[in-house]
């Protein structure tokens, strides 16, 4: 920050900032940085360095592109990748960077250079980011006719399938690429399912179509989480901020669908066993994520935060759904060992004061009252999750 304030604007500084942003959740001081502010600095440096117009001067056929130019193009693509995906986390704000033909050309040129093995995925990443922009532009209006939504969902679903099929070989070599593609599919159905169909009552098939969108959203979320459980433990240490936030948003979506989904004819979260799916994927992911090597290390890392916060989410989920136990007690759960434990066993006892009385009788707070910061519907919940402020 000090170097930038003094006027330094270099490619090296930009690259360092991009790397810091993309992996900072593995080593961050949550009180020290604002990722959105640092990203704005990156975009400012990229603009001042003219990274959107690299190599426009005419060169002779024998004159090769300099390695420095290729690094600059990668940095510009990095700015787009981060700003595009982080922008999805804050839909109310205008996009700071949108897809252009320059980005597409940079990605293609780098892929054809074969300088790095990972260059092959740059055009695919750019395509997926552009695809998510397409979803946002298509469903910018919060209300639309059912036939329009159905037509656009079909178009975007086919487009997503074409991107996936065209990149099957790369996805085998770069398993994390599948995360972004599956997150894009979730984005499609989450957005489409939230659209208000203005002619729902007058269109016979509209209600069933809306239900199918929500069920497909559930299945898309489960597919993403299932794919995530296949990631080897050692690879979690290298998961980038974008993939980590997608994981947080996806498992939070499952909880939202179980508790906060609006009523709809034919919709039954219990029948779809969404709470059981949450429990299963939460357990699988928690067991696969790395644990501190030093048992005495009290500092909470990203994986510790995931285990702790999803545990709180699980308690709130079961409390909200009021699912009965084998003994008929909402707060008991049978374990695989045959023991029955309380869902409240790891929850600190709430303090009861005179203000919590009803007709002279003390009223115990619900789990949501005990954990007031657990508002998974808030627009900034993913940031709170990331920083451990839950």
């Amino acid at each position: 920050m000090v170097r930038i304030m003094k006027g330094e604007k270099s490619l090296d500084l930009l690259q360092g900032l991009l790397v810091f942003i993309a992996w900072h959740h593995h080593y961050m001081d949550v009180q020290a940085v604002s990722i959105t502010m640092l990203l704005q600095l990156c975009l400012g440096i990229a603009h001042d360095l003219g990274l959107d117009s690299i190599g426009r001067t005419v060169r002779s056929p024998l004159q090769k592109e300099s390695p420095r130019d290729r690094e600059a193009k990668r940095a510009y693509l990095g700015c787009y990748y981060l700003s595009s995906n982080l922008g999805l986390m804050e839909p109310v704000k205008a996009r700071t960077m949108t897809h252009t033909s320059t980005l597409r050309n940079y990605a293609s040129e780098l892929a054809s250079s074969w300088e790095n093995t990972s260059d092959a995925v740059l055009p695919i990443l750019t395509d997926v980011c552009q695809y998510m922009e397409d979803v946002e532009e298509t469903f910018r209006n919060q209300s639309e006719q059912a036939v329009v939504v159905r037509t656009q969902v079909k178009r975007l679903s086919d487009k997503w399938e074409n991107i996936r099929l065209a990149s099957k070989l790369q996805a085998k070599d770069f398993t994390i690429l599948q995360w972004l593609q599956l997150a894009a599919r979730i984005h499609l159905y989450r957005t489409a399912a939230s659209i208000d169909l203005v002619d729902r009552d007058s269109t016979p098939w509209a209600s069933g179509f809306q239900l199918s969108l929500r069920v497909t959203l559930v299945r898309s979320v489960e597919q993403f989480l299932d794919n995530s459980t296949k990631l080897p433990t050692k690879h979690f240490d290298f998961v980038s901020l974008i993939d980590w936030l997608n994981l947080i948003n996806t498992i939070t979506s499952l909880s939202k669908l179980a508790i906060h989904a609006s009523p709809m004819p034919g919709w039954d979260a219990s029948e779809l066993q969404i709470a059981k799916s949450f429990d299963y994927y939460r357990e699988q992911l928690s067991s696969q994520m790395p644990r501190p090597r030093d048992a005495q290390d009290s500092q909470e890392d990203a994986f510790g935060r995931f285990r702790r916060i999803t545990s709180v989410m699980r308690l709130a989920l079961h409390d909200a759904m009021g699912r009965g136990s084998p003994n008929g007690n909402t707060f008991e759960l049978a374990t695989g060992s045959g023991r029955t434990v309380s869902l409240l066993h790891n929850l600190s006892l709430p303090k009861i004061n005179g203000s919590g009385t009803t007709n002279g009788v003390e009223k115990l707070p619900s789990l949501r009252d005990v954990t007031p910061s657990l508002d998974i519907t808030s627009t900034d919940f993913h940031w709170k999750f990331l920083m451990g402020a839950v």
Side-chain angles (χ1 to χ4, degrees), residues 170-316:
Q170 291 88 344
K172 288 182 179 179
D173 295 329
F174 300 94
T175 54
I176 213 71
L177 176 62
Q178 299 173 35
W179 278 29
L180 188 66
Q181 291 178 339
L182 293 173
R185 189 167 188 261
I186 291 172
H187 183 57
L188 166 61
Y189 286 101
R190 181 193 291 127
T191 306
S194 68
I195 301 298
D196 177 34
L197 304 182
V198 294
D199 56 349
R200 174 178 169 173
D201 295 334
S202 60
T203 306
W205 51 266
S207 181
F209 169 66
Q210 203 167 34
L211 176 62
S212 72
L213 288 177
R214 188 176 288 181
V215 173
T216 305
L217 171 59
V218 173
R219 299 310 178 210
S220 299
V221 165
E222 290 176 341
Q223 186 181 9
F224 177 99
L225 293 172
D226 187 64
N227 181 272
S228 303
T229 62
K230 295 179 172 60
L231 193 68
T233 296
K234 62 181 180 180
H235 285 194
F236 275 98
D237 281 322
F238 307 105
V239 168
S240 75
L241 176 66
I242 301 305
D243 299 311
W244 190 246
L245 283 173
N246 279 332
L247 178 61
I248 291 172
N249 271 342
T250 303
I251 200 161
T252 302
S253 291
L254 204 56
S255 186
K256 284 182 182 178
L257 287 164
I259 305 175
H260 300 288
S262 58
M264 181 183 296
W267 171 258
D268 189 336
S270 297
E271 184 178 339
L272 290 169
Q273 299 187 332
I274 297 178
K276 286 186 177 180
S277 293
F278 181 92
D279 289 350
Y280 171 77
Y281 289 117
R282 187 244 166 213
E283 180 64 29
Q284 289 289 312
L285 290 165
S286 296
S287 63
Q288 285 179 239
M289 289 177 183
R291 294 183 180 274
R293 294 179 182 178
D294 184 1
Q296 304 300 319
D297 188 2
S298 60
Q299 187 174 359
E300 186 180 56
D301 62 6
F303 310 118
R305 283 192 291 275
F306 181 91
R307 293 184 182 96
R308 175 177 61 82
I309 296 173
T310 53
S311 177
V312 176
M313 291 170 66
R314 178 182 178 278
L315 289 170

Side-chain angles (χ1 to χ4, degrees), residues 320-339:
M321 298 195 70
R323 192 171 69 176
S325 74
N327 295 336
N329 187 327
T330 302
F331 298 106
E332 291 182 355
L333 178 69
T335 66
S337 64
R339 296 184 301 110

